[in-house]
C-alpha cells in the first residue's frame, strides 16, 4: 500500500470479515510491523486457527515470568509463553441490538438458564423502565462470557501487592478512613491475575498504584464513594488534575499557586506519584501512552458529570461510546511495560491494532458492569444491562442476556482480529496481543471474586 493510500485510507469500521481479509493481504511476514513495508506482499490465505487457542489459555504457565530488568525487549518466544487468541469462530456481522421480541442466542456459548433474578414469566412488579437488573450469579456469568480464564493464580503474591498498595494509599492520603476498601477490593490480586508475565511485586505494585490512582479519580470525584459527588465542580477538578497527567508549566510567578492546589489534593498526589514511580519500570514512551489514555478517561468522566448535572440518561449507543473512553484501557496499556518489553509505537498506534485493543477494553468494562450490578444502585449509576432494560423495555434477565451477547461480540471480534494482526505483525505485537488477552482473562477472574463487587451489604 502506498503512503498516500495509507494516509487517505478510511478509518477502521466494524466490517470484521473485510478487515481480516485486508490484514491477511497486507503482509505475510511474521516479523514485519503491521504499518511498515513498501513491498506489496503475496496474499496468504488463512490456514485455520494457528495460535494456541482459547483452550490453551487454561494451562497455567510459568514460562511467562518477567525478564526482570529488561525495559526494551528481550523475550524468549513471540508471546512470552502466553496463549495467543485464536479465531476459532470468525463472527458474522452481528446484531448489536437484537429486536426486543426475539433476541438471538448468545454469540458463542449457550445462554444457559434464564434464572437471573426473577424467573421468566413471573409477574412484573414495576414497569420495565424502572427495573434494575440484579447481579447474575458469578459462576453463571463466567460460563456465559466469552473470555479466557486467568493464566495464573498466586494468592500470596496478590496479597503482598495489596498490602503494599494500602501502605502507599495511606502515605498519599487517598481513601482517608476507608483503606479497608482497598484491602477488600484486593487490587493487588487484580494485578497478579492480569499481569501473569511478571512475578515481581515491585512491577505489579507499579501497575497497582496507577490503577488505584485512576480508581480514586472515580471514587473521590465522580461516583461519590469517598467524597460527596459534586458534578458542578467535576470539570474544574478534572482539568486541574489533568495538569499533573500532562504537566502544566506555568510562568514562574504563577506556578506555585497551581502547585499548592495540586499538592493539597490526594487524588492529584496519587496520580503524580504513580506516574513518577512507573518511570522506573516503563520507557518514557510507555508512560506517555498512559498519559494519553488518562486524558481520554478524563473526557469520559466529564461526560458523566454532565449526565449527573443534567439528569441525562444516556441511550445505549452513547453509553457504549462512553465505555470505549471509560474502560480499563489505562490499565491494559501497561501490559508490555509490566512484562518488561515494548511494542513498537508504530504498531501500537496502528488503527487496526488500536481497534482490536479498544474492543477488548470495552469488553473488560462490560464485564465490570455485569459484576458490579449489585453495587451500582444509585439513580445515576448507569450500567449497560440497566440501560438496555430501560431502552428495550425488556426484563432484567433479558437485559443481562443482551449485555452478555454484546460482550461476546466484542471479544470474538477482538479474537479474530488479534489473530490476524499477530500473523502479520512483529513478535512484540504478537506478544502484546497475547498479554492483552491474558489481562482480560485475569480481570474477569478478579471481578468474579473481588470484595468490591461481592460484599455482604450488596447481597442484602
Ligand atoms: C482502573 C481504572 C482504569 C479505573 C478507571 C475507570 C473505572 C473506575 C472503571 C473502568 C470501572 O468502571 P466503574 O466506574 O463502573 O467502576 P466500579 O464498578 O465502581 O469499580
Amino acid at each position: 500500500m502506498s503512503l498516500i493510500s495509507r494516509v487517505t485510507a478510511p478509518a477502521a469500521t466494524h466490517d470484521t470479515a473485510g478487515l481480516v481479509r485486508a490484514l491477511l493481504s497486507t503482509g505475510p511476514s511474521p516479523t514485519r510491523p503491521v504499518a511498515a513495508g513498501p513491498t506489496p506482499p503475496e496474499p496468504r490465505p488463512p490456514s485455520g486457527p494457528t495460535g494456541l487457542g482459547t483452550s490453551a489459555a487454561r494451562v497455567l504457565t510459568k514460562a511467562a515470568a518477567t525478564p526482570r530488568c529488561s525495559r526494551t525487549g528481550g523475550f524468549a518466544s513471540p508471546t512470552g509463553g502466553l496463549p495467543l487468541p485464536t479465531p476459532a469462530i470468525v463472527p458474522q456481522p452481528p446484531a448489536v441490538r437484537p429486536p426486543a421480541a426475539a433476541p438471538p442466542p448468545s454469540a458463542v456459548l449457550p445462554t444457559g438458564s434464564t434464572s437471573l433474578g426473577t424467573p421468566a414469566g413471573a409477574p412484573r412488579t414495576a414497569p420495565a423502565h424502572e427495573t434494575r437488573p440484579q447481579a447474575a450469579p458469578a459462576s453463571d456469568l463466567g460460563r456465559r462470557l466469552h473470555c479466557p480464564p486467568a493464566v495464573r493464580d498466586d494468592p500470596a503474591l496478590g496479597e503482598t501487592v495489596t498490602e503494599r498498595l494500602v501502605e502507599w494509599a495511606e502515605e498519599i492520603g487517598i481513601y482517608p478512613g476507608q483503606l479497608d476498601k482497598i484491602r477488600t477490593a484486593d487490587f493487588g490480586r487484580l494485578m497478579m491475575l492480569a499481569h501473569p508475565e511478571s512475578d515481581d511485586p515491585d512491577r505489579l505494585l507499579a501497575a497497582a498504584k496507577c490503577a488505584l490512582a485512576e480508581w480514586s479519580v472515580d471514587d473521590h470525584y465522580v461516583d461519590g464513594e469517598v467524597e460527596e459527588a459534586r458534578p458542578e465542580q467535576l470539570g474544574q477538578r478534572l482539568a486541574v488534575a489533568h495538569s499533573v497527567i500532562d504537566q502544566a508549566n506555568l510562568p514562574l510567578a504563577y506556578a506555585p499557586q497551581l502547585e499548592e492546589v495540586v499538592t493539597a489534593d490526594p487524588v492529584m498526589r496519587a496520580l503524580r506519584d504513580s506516574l513518577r514511580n512507573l518511570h522506573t519500570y516503563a520507557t518514557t514512551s510507555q508512560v506517555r501512552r498512559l498519559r494519553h489514555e488518562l486524558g481520554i478517561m478524563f473526557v469520559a468522566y466529564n461526560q458523566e458529570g454532565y449526565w449527573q448535572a443534567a439528569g441525562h440518561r444516556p441511550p445505549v449507543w452513547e453509553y457504549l461510546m462512553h465505555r470505549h473512553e471509560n474502560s480499563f484501557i489505562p490499565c491494559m496499556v501497561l501490559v508490555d511495560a509490566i512484562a518488561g518489553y515494548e511494542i513498537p509505537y508504530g504498531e501500537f498506534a496502528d488503527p487496526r491494532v488500536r481497534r482490536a485493543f479498544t474492543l477488548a477494553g470495552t469488553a473488560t468494562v462490560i464485564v465490570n458492569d455485569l459484576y458490579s450490578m449489585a453495587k451500582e444502585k444509585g439513580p445515576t449509576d448507569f450500567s449497560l444491562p440497566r440501560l438496555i432494560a430501560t431502552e428495550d423495555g425488556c426484563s432484567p434477565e433479558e437485559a443481562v442476556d443482551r449485555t452478555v451477547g454484546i460482550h461476546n461480540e466484542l471479544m470474538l471480534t477482538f479474537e479474530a482480529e488479534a489473530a490476524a494482526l499477530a500473523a502479520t505483525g512483529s513478535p512484540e505485537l504478537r506478544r502484546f496481543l497475547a498479554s492483552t488477552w491474558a489481562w482480560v482473562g485475569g480481570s474477569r477472574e478478579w471481578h468474579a471474586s473481588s470484595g468490591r463487587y461481592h460484599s455482604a451489604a450488596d447481597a442484602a
Side-chain angles (χ1 to χ4, degrees):
M1 188 190 260
S2 74
L3 184 60
I4 291 185
S5 319
R6 206 179 349 259
V7 167
T8 56
T13 67
H14 206 56
D15 170 14
T16 306
L19 190 82
V20 171
R21 243 190 336 269
L23 284 165
L24 290 171
S25 66
T26 47
S29 166
T31 54
R32 190 171 66 78
V34 290
T39 321
E42 292 295 314
R44 193 175 61 166
S47 58
T50 53
L52 296 176
T54 51
S55 59
R58 290 174 179 80
V59 178
L60 290 175
T61 175
K62 269 280 173 196
T66 313
R68 281 200 181 248
C69 51
S70 163
R71 292 181 62 184
T72 53
F75 39 82
S77 76
T79 62
L82 284 178
L84 196 67
T86 299
I89 304 165
V90 176
Q92 300 302 309
V96 171
R97 185 176 172 221
S106 175
V108 267
L109 301 174
T111 52
S113 87
T114 53
S115 58
L116 306 171
T118 52
R124 299 251 294 262
T125 52
H129 67 276
E130 288 173 16
T131 58
R132 301 245 169 99
Q134 298 301 301
S139 55
D140 188 49
L141 273 179
R143 196 169 50 77
R144 298 164 65 211
L145 290 168
H146 184 74
C147 188
V151 172
R152 66 120 183 254
D153 191 352
D154 180 344
L157 179 58
E159 223 171 278
T160 301
V161 178
T162 292
E163 280 313 312
R164 290 179 58 188
L165 186 65
V166 171
E167 283 166 25
W168 175 76
E170 187 167 23
E171 233 171 74
I172 294 288
I174 45 174
Y175 296 85
Q178 302 188 30
L179 293 173
D180 261 4
K181 280 193 171 170
I182 301 169
R183 213 171 265 117
T184 304
D186 210 349
F187 292 113
R189 177 169 168 75
L190 170 59
M191 297 305 141
M192 175 277 296
L193 289 166
H195 294 281
E197 291 163 274
S198 176
D199 53 12
D200 177 348
D202 291 332
R203 298 183 90 90
L204 297 175
L205 182 62
K209 285 178 178 178
C210 292
L212 188 61
E214 290 150 19
W215 246 300
S216 76
V217 182
D218 197 32
D219 289 344
H220 279 249
Y221 293 174
V222 187
D223 280 354
E225 296 207 17
V226 177
E227 298 175 34
E228 190 195 331
R230 283 167 290 184
E232 73 288 354
Q233 289 182 22
L234 186 59
Q236 166 71 2
R237 296 177 98 181
L238 290 173
V240 180
H242 193 271
S243 77
V244 170
I245 305 300
D246 188 26
Q247 184 58 48
N249 299 294
L250 303 193
L252 287 179
Y254 296 93
Q257 287 170 268
L258 171 61
E259 190 55 23
E260 202 180 313
V261 173
V262 166
T263 51
D265 186 296
V267 172
M268 296 181 207
R269 291 198 300 269
L271 287 166
R272 176 180 277 176
D273 193 69
S274 61
L275 287 164
R276 184 199 49 73
N277 179 59
L278 183 63
H279 275 287
T280 313
Y281 308 100
T283 65
T284 312
S285 52
Q286 286 173 320
V287 179
R288 173 51 53 187
R289 275 178 359 204
L290 173 57
R291 293 179 191 277
H292 175 238
E293 303 302 352
L294 293 177
I296 297 173
M297 187 181 87
F298 276 29
V299 169
Y301 282 159
N302 256 319
Q303 188 181 24
E304 277 192 56
Y306 165 73
W307 292 347
Q308 286 175 14
H312 173 72
R313 175 178 57 77
V316 171
W317 72 262
E318 183 181 317
Y319 183 77
L320 284 166
M321 183 224 68
H322 169 82
R323 278 317 208 174
H324 162 83
E325 295 170 353
N326 178 14
S327 75
F328 283 105
I329 288 284
C331 292
M332 294 159 65
V333 80
L334 296 181
V335 288
D336 57 342
I338 301 307
Y341 67 98
E342 182 170 8
I343 177 179
Y345 189 75
E347 286 188 304
F348 175 76
D350 185 292
R352 293 165 293 181
V353 175
R354 182 72 184 166
R355 175 182 145 85
F357 187 55
T358 54
L359 288 175
T362 305
T364 60
V365 87
I366 291 177
V367 166
N368 175 280
D369 272 6
L370 284 164
Y371 282 103
S372 67
M373 280 186 293
K375 173 174 158 301
E376 314 281 7
K377 288 182 174 148
T380 57
D381 283 340
F382 296 121
S383 71
L384 189 56
R386 201 164 151 187
L387 290 167
I388 287 178
T390 305
E391 186 168 301
D392 292 358
C394 66
S395 68
E397 299 80 12
E398 182 57 36
V400 168
D401 281 352
R402 291 178 190 192
T403 302
V404 169
I406 288 172
H407 169 273
N408 289 350
E409 175 202 323
L410 294 173
M411 284 298 288
L412 282 161
T413 308
F414 168 76
E415 203 178 2
E417 296 184 15
L421 287 162
T424 58
S426 70
E428 292 91 341
L429 171 62
R430 186 176 166 80
R431 184 168 176 186
F432 183 79
L433 294 165
S435 303
T436 299
W437 185 242
W439 200 98
V440 169
S443 170
R444 195 214 63 81
E445 182 65 38
W446 175 76
H447 276 90
S449 55
S450 169
R452 185 169 170 96
Y453 308 112
H454 306 278
S455 75
D458 288 337

